[in-house]
Amino acid sequence: MAKREIKCPDCAGWTEWQEQLYDRCKLCNALLEQHKIDKIAELKAQKDIEDEMEQARLAKQNPFLKKLGNYASTLFIGFILLITALIVLAAG
C-alpha cells in the first residue's frame, strides 16, 4: 500500500499516512481523519432519526387503511394476471 505524508490536524506536524480512516499521527497519536469519522457518525445519527420517524409514522397509520391498501394491490395484480391470461388464451 502506498504511503504518503499528511499534515496532522491536531499538532500540525507532517506524519506518514497509509490512507486508512483510523490512521494516527506518529507525533501526537491523534486521528488523522477525525473530520471524516465525525461526518460518518453524523450521517448515521441522521439516518437513525429518519428511520425512527418513519417507524412512528407507520405506527400511527390506520390499520384499516393499511389492509385496504394491501387488498387493492392484490386486486390490481389479479386483474393484470387475468388480462394476461385472456391475451394468451386468445393468441393460442
Side-chain angles (χ1 to χ4, degrees):
M1 177 167 280
K3 293 183 180 180
R4 296 179 14 191
E5 283 195 351
I6 188 171
K7 193 170 189 177
C8 176
D10 197 44
C11 70
W14 289 93
T15 187
E16 198 172 88
W17 182 48
Q18 296 178 358
E19 299 182 27
Q20 299 295 318
L21 189 61
Y22 291 100
D23 283 346
R24 293 189 169 272
C25 176
K26 304 278 188 218
L27 305 172
C28 68
N29 204 31
L31 288 169
L32 295 173
E33 297 288 339
Q34 186 64 46
H35 63 284
K36 285 185 182 178
I37 294 169
D38 293 343
K39 185 68 173 175
I40 290 170
E42 180 183 324
L43 291 174
K44 184 182 179 321
Q46 183 178 0
K47 184 182 181 307
D48 290 345
I49 290 171
E50 289 173 0
D51 289 346
E52 192 174 304
M53 289 174 57
E54 180 68 19
Q55 290 296 328
R57 187 186 66 79
L58 289 175
K60 287 182 186 177
Q61 193 175 15
N62 189 342
F64 174 74
L65 292 178
K66 201 184 298 184
K67 283 185 181 180
L68 184 64
N70 289 341
Y71 289 133
S73 62
T74 303
L75 287 174
F76 178 72
I77 291 171
F79 179 73
I80 296 297
L81 289 174
L82 176 69
I83 298 296
T84 305
L86 290 175
I87 291 172
V88 168
L89 287 175

